[in-house]
Amino acid sequence: MIAKVEVRRMLASYENKLREEIKVIRDKLESMENACPTLEMERIWRRSEEYAELYTKLTTLRGVLSDIIDIRCSEIFEEAE
């Protein structure tokens, strides 16, 4: 029973860290897009290596966050049975 509580705490901690990291990346992407006054500059930004890295990291973190949420939800349903 104690192990389940620790696992839940660990998952919640990971979830919070992921949410924070996702917010930081989203804010950076948004600020860069807002800094591009023309469509051409925005296109250049979206084709850049930095954008690709940030977007890939954002997509990956969202997937991991989704997996953690799924694990936590399945844990809740298992207890209800």
Side-chain angles (χ1 to χ4, degrees):
M1 188 64 145
I2 294 173
K4 279 189 174 186
V5 172
E6 285 301 315
V7 168
R8 285 187 193 134
R9 284 186 189 146
M10 189 172 54
L11 288 174
S13 173
Y14 289 156
E15 186 176 339
N16 289 335
K17 288 177 185 175
L18 287 171
R19 288 183 190 277
E20 289 173 17
E21 184 67 22
I22 287 170
K23 184 181 181 330
V24 167
I25 293 170
R26 278 194 349 234
D27 290 347
K28 174 143 180 128
L29 289 171
E30 184 178 328
S31 72
M32 287 301 294
E33 287 178 10
N34 290 339
C36 297
T38 65
L39 289 176
E40 188 59 33
M41 286 183 71
E42 188 173 335
R43 284 188 197 111
I44 292 169
W45 159 241
R46 287 181 181 250
R47 291 181 185 147
S48 73
E49 189 175 315
E50 182 181 5
Y51 177 85
E53 289 174 10
L54 286 171
Y55 193 78
T56 301
K57 187 174 182 180
L58 179 64
T59 303
T60 303
L61 292 176
R62 283 179 174 164
V64 172
L65 179 61
S66 177
D67 290 345
I68 288 175
I69 291 169
D70 287 346
I71 290 169
R72 289 181 67 210
C73 287
S74 67
E75 189 68 25
I76 290 170
F77 288 129
E78 286 176 10
E79 285 183 3
E81 294 176 349

